[in-house]
Amino acid sequence: MESYGGHYGPDECSTLTEPEFASYFTSQNVAIAVGSLIGQKISLVTLGINNGWFDPIIQEKASIHYSFNNSYKAIISASQHTMYLDSYETYCLPLLKKCGEVTGTDEACEMAHHIYVVDMNVYDMRKGFNNPLPPKTYVAYLRRPEVAKAIGASGKFPFTECSDKLFSKFTKTGDNWICNWYGGLESAHAIVYDGAEELKKKRVSTYFVDGVPNGTFKGVENLSWMRVFEAGHHAPYYQLKLALQAFKLTMQRKAVFST
């Protein structure tokens, strides 16, 4: 999964979101097995999330830190960094907490969400607004019948991109900041599981692909986190070998490791 999949992908083992896709799949499999539902089981081997949006309370603050201190360029000054952190604590955080309540409103969510607007592409801060990458050629490729068959899709409904109308509704609820690795790491540290404390204390290591450093990573038990160098939001486009290597290891239920 990718991006907003971080919101809906995790199951009840995570403290970051309510049970969604993962637990739904398993519950439907049980219903099929006992005969109360007619359908095809989906075997959920693992959950991988690329640049996930997990929890705005964690990731809105992380965006402030990333805007000031990253490996590409500072987007805000030191004084702005301090100002935005103060604003986050006194203004944004209370609204985010209200947004997350059962009785929370879209207005509270939207008001809590502020982006420092500069001449940059939020999908890839190294580029300007008119960055054409990645190209949309994959849409036609995924609509080919032989491709759909190869990946196990029914082909009844052709592949489509995300709905612009749906995206506009997300922006009105504060859910439109593209994720960065600061927030991803903090989100991983917030997951409650047996190896949680060990993961927090563990230092990151350089991640190699065929001997070339392509990122950093760390993991404990069956949970791994990775930062990818020189990549925009759609990381597999920019670092294909790394993405394929990590995907294969994950699907084989192995811990992520360098080569």
Side-chain angles (χ1 to χ4, degrees):
M1 305 186 79
E2 184 178 74
S3 199
Y4 210 72
H7 222 56
Y8 287 127
D11 64 10
E12 59 271 5
C13 70
S14 170
T15 62
L16 301 177
T17 60
E18 292 297 317
E20 294 290 351
F21 288 166
S23 57
Y24 177 75
F25 288 162
T26 54
S27 66
Q28 292 295 87
N29 286 343
V30 171
I32 293 171
V34 299
S36 60
L37 177 68
I38 298 176
Q40 181 176 340
K41 290 184 180 180
I42 297 177
S43 179
L44 187 63
V45 176
T46 187
L47 176 65
I49 301 173
N50 169 53
N51 279 349
W53 179 252
F54 301 98
D55 187 338
I57 289 179
I58 294 173
Q59 290 176 277
E60 293 286 8
K61 187 174 183 179
S63 294
I64 299 173
H65 293 312
Y66 186 80
S67 296
F68 177 62
N69 182 24
N70 61 77
S71 58
Y72 302 113
K73 59 182 177 182
I75 300 172
I76 59 176
S77 65
S79 60
Q80 287 174 320
H81 179 249
T82 300
M83 179 186 70
Y84 287 136
L85 286 177
D86 288 342
S87 297
Y88 172 84
E89 295 294 339
T90 59
Y91 173 68
C92 185
L93 182 58
L95 285 170
L96 286 172
K97 289 181 177 179
K98 185 177 180 180
C99 170
E101 295 174 353
V102 175
T103 56
T105 64
D106 289 349
E107 289 75 17
C109 299
E110 185 177 13
M111 288 176 64
H113 182 84
H114 290 279
I115 298 176
Y116 185 72
V117 180
V118 294
D119 184 18
M120 60 170 282
N121 186 328
V122 294
Y123 288 94
D124 189 343
M125 64 174 295
R126 302 167 301 171
K127 311 294 183 181
F129 281 113
N130 296 321
N131 177 34
L133 302 175
K136 299 293 185 179
T137 51
Y138 62 86
V139 176
Y141 175 76
L142 290 172
R143 288 178 177 173
R144 289 164 53 180
E146 65 271 23
V147 174
K149 182 178 180 180
I151 63 176
S154 67
K156 184 177 180 180
F157 302 101
F159 173 81
T160 57
E161 283 276 68
C162 298
S163 165
D164 289 336
K165 290 183 179 180
L166 182 61
F167 177 76
S168 67
K169 291 184 180 296
F170 277 124
T171 63
K172 293 178 181 178
T173 59
D175 286 322
N176 63 334
W177 175 258
I178 308 306
C179 326
N180 59 71
W181 70 265
Y182 277 53
L185 179 58
E186 289 302 313
S187 296
H189 286 166
I191 296 174
V192 177
Y193 77 115
D194 291 342
E197 290 305 313
E198 185 180 351
L199 181 70
K200 292 177 185 177
K201 296 175 183 178
K202 190 171 184 178
R203 299 184 66 177
V204 299
S205 300
T206 302
Y207 190 77
F208 295 91
V209 179
D210 296 335
V212 178
N214 280 166
T216 59
F217 77 112
K218 67 175 179 175
V220 173
E221 297 179 9
N222 65 339
L223 176 64
S224 297
W225 168 87
M226 180 183 295
R227 171 193 175 192
V228 182
F229 293 160
E230 299 295 328
H233 187 57
H234 304 288
Y237 171 78
Y238 299 92
Q239 296 290 354
L240 177 59
K241 285 186 176 181
L242 178 148
L244 182 59
Q245 178 171 288
F247 178 77
K248 285 182 176 179
L249 291 172
T250 302
M251 291 302 293
Q252 292 168 1
R253 302 186 184 186
K254 296 178 180 179
V256 175
F257 58 84
S258 295
T259 59

